[in-house]
Amino acid sequence: MPNRKKFIGANWKMNAAPVGWDASDSPYFSMSNIDVVVFPTSIDLRMCTQKKLSVGAQYGRPETAGAFTGDIAMQEIRAVGCTHVLCGHSERRQHHEESDEMISKQVISALQCGLIPLLCIGENADQREMGETKEVLAQQLLAVSNVEGMIVAYEPVWAIGTGKTPTAPEANETHAFIRSLLKDKNTRILYGGSMNSANAAEFLAQPEIDGGLIGGASLKPEEFRKIVDVARAS
Ligand code: 13P
């Protein structure tokens, strides 16, 4: 059995922390047998680290300081107590035109700052329809396939926020393909895209799926708790 601790990430995107996020029985706290990490807005990072949650940023810039209005540096993210950072989420690729080159710099810089990068990759609907999924994923991984210490999140763009998902065995096969491209075979590979309490068990039972990156369902504490419970049991 590979030693890959299950990981459940709550990507709150541009939303406020859900009510009760810091209650003593909140589902957003990390546990000994499973990593639970929240990804709040930049403004809420410090608030969350102060309450002892495991926290990651949704984006970080490699440069340490300078004329980059609106951005935050990896170093600052680490300095407020974060442990993780998303790199190349599809919404950043789409709305901020982040390229694979920029994203690979983020991954390297995160590691240098002592943060664990979660590299997000995934094909869009057209690419899937054209049968280009593997090619797209290989391209997105190309510059960082030798990197050790990161986590990969496979998030098919067409599955994000749509209620559509690949089947669990399909996702498993894609994860196996991703792993085949990585030098570090112990890299954790998460699935993301419309994961919820109803489908989590099936995804998390797959041998190549080491956890989930949850968007919409992570904003509902009781729904999120069920996903965490499934992950703990799987
Ligand atoms: P949804 O769970 O809302 O589909 O979002 C997934 C995601 O983008 C996580 O990063």
Side-chain angles (χ1 to χ4, degrees):
M1 191 67 187
N3 182 23
R4 303 195 304 262
K5 194 179 186 182
K6 283 274 181 332
F7 184 110
I8 299 292
N11 181 4
W12 292 339
K13 307 192 180 184
M14 201 176 74
N15 295 289
V19 173
W21 66 275
D22 60 343
S24 58
D25 64 344
S26 146
Y28 300 108
F29 285 104
S30 215
M31 284 172 249
S32 56
N33 58 344
I34 177 180
D35 288 331
V36 178
V37 179
V38 298
F39 296 86
T41 63
S42 301
I43 285 175
D44 285 347
L45 291 175
R46 192 190 294 272
M47 173 183 90
C48 291
T49 58
Q50 280 176 343
K51 292 283 184 169
K52 308 287 181 223
L53 272 72
S54 294
V55 186
Q58 297 173 12
Y59 163 77
R61 191 167 182 108
E63 291 84 353
T64 51
F68 302 107
T69 303
D71 284 357
I72 54 170
M74 293 290 180
Q75 270 194 345
E76 289 298 316
I77 293 168
R78 184 75 193 104
V80 296
C82 293
T83 46
H84 294 74
V85 61
L86 301 184
C87 298
H89 190 282
S90 64
E91 287 149 19
R92 299 285 316 176
R93 292 178 190 260
Q94 188 188 343
H95 302 302
H96 297 266
E97 291 173 18
E98 288 188 15
S99 65
D100 288 326
E101 195 193 344
M102 290 158 75
I103 293 160
S104 63
K105 283 188 187 148
Q106 294 168 21
V107 168
I108 304 300
S109 153
L111 286 165
Q112 284 168 348
C113 291
L115 292 165
I116 299 173
L118 269 80
L119 172 66
C120 303
I121 60 174
E123 81 285 1
N124 65 30
D126 287 348
Q127 291 161 337
R128 181 175 174 86
E129 224 159 85
M130 304 279 282
E132 294 170 358
T133 297
K134 287 187 173 171
E135 217 176 305
V136 169
L137 297 175
Q139 180 60 38
Q140 291 174 335
L141 279 173
L142 191 62
V144 285
S145 58
N146 282 335
V147 169
E148 291 180 38
M150 66 175 177
I151 294 172
V152 173
Y154 170 55
E155 302 204 298
V157 180
W158 53 271
I160 295 178
T162 59
K164 294 184 205 156
T165 66
T167 65
E170 256 170 8
N172 189 62
E173 195 194 319
T174 307
H175 281 220
F177 172 71
I178 291 168
R179 194 177 306 287
S180 76
L181 300 176
L182 298 173
K183 182 175 167 211
D184 180 0
K185 301 298 177 204
N186 274 322
T187 303
R188 286 180 288 179
I189 306 176
L190 319 179
Y191 171 76
S194 296
M195 202 191 236
N196 55 41
S197 65
N199 62 24
E202 223 187 324
F203 282 112
L204 296 174
Q206 303 293 322
E208 295 291 339
I209 299 183
D210 303 313
L213 189 54
I214 324 292
S218 77
L219 291 166
K220 302 175 197 146
E222 289 320 309
E223 172 78 0
F224 188 68
R225 188 188 305 281
K226 288 182 193 157
I227 299 173
V228 172
D229 286 346
V230 166
R232 288 171 72 192
S234 63

